[in-house]
Amino acid sequence: MDKSNNHPYDELLAAYSAGSLPLSQALCISVHLEHCQSCGQKLQQLNHVGSELMQQLKPSKVSDELKTRLLGMLDSLPDDLPDEESPEVDLRVPRCLRQFVDKYYDDLDWKRVSADIHSVELCRDSNGAKVELLKIKPGGSATTHTHMGDEYTVILEGSFSDESGLYGQGDFLVRDENDQHTPVATQDRECICLAVTEGPIQFTGFLHRLLNPFIRRGYA
Ligand SMILES: [Zn+2]
C-alpha cells in the first residue's frame, strides 16, 4: 500500500540506487521505502538500469592488494542477520532504524528542546550532518526556522502540517536553506520524525534570532 504523498525526487533515488548518497540521506530514503511501494518499484527499475550499465563496462585489472582487501571485507561480514521480527521489537519502528531504537521510541533519552518539542540525536554522518528524532506534542509547533544546508525529514508517527501542506506517516520532505517553515503537529496525537540537518538551523523568530550564535556552537 502506498500511503505516502511526498517522495524523494528522481535524482535522489538514482543516487541512492548508485550508492553515492551520504549515509544520513540514504537512511531517510530507506525509511521512506518501507512505507512507499511506488518508490520501491522505481528503485527496482533504477537498480536494473544500473546493473545493465555495469555489464556494459569493460573489465579493468585491479591490483592484488585491492583484491585481497575486498575478499577480506566479504569474509568479515556477519553470517547471521539479526532476527528482525523478534516479538521484543516494537514493529512500528522501521527496520532500518532498529540499530538506534532498541524497542520503543519511549525508551529513548529524549531531550527537551522547547515546550512542544523533544529530540534525541541518533548519530552524526561523516559529512557532519546531524541525524535525530524529533517528537512534537499534539498541536505543538516547531519554531519558524531556516537551515544553513538541506533538511531531510521522514514522518514516523502521527502527522504535521506546514506552509506547504499536510504530511503523514512515511512522507519524505526536503527543505533547503531558502525555505522557511513552521511544522505544526496535528491535534490528535504526537508526531515523531526522523530529521537530518546538514547545517545549523537558523531560527527566524525575534527571540530565537538572539540565540543563534549559541545554537551554531552546538554544531562546531
Ligand atoms: Zn515514495
Side-chain angles (χ1 to χ4, degrees), residues 13 16 19 72-73 97 105 125 131 151 167 196 213:
L13 263 189
Y16 177 87
M73 283 164 75
L97 284 183
Y105 292 122
D125 200 343
V131 181
E151 179 189 62
Y167 307 96
V196 168

Side-chain angles (χ1 to χ4, degrees), residues 2 4 6-8 13 32-33 35-40 170 172:
D2 183 357
S4 180
N6 290 272
H7 312 266
L13 263 189
H32 175 74
L33 287 167
H35 292 277
C36 182
Q37 212 173 42
S38 63
C39 283
F172 178 99

Side-chain angles (χ1 to χ4, degrees), residues 100-124:
F100 302 109
V101 186
D102 235 9
K103 287 182 187 166
Y104 306 105
Y105 292 122
D106 285 348
D107 293 342
L108 295 170
D109 187 18
W110 293 97
K111 303 259 187 307
R112 185 181 186 276
V113 177
S114 71
D116 290 356
I117 299 176
H118 283 74
S119 75
V120 56
E121 184 173 323
L122 301 181
C123 65
R124 294 274 177 157

Side-chain angles (χ1 to χ4, degrees), residues 40-58:
Q41 284 164 353
K42 215 183 267 183
L43 181 69
Q44 273 184 352
Q45 289 165 0
L46 287 164
N47 289 343
H48 182 69
V49 171
S51 68
E52 289 286 317
L53 286 172
M54 285 291 281
Q55 281 172 18
Q56 287 171 22
L57 291 176
K58 282 190 188 137

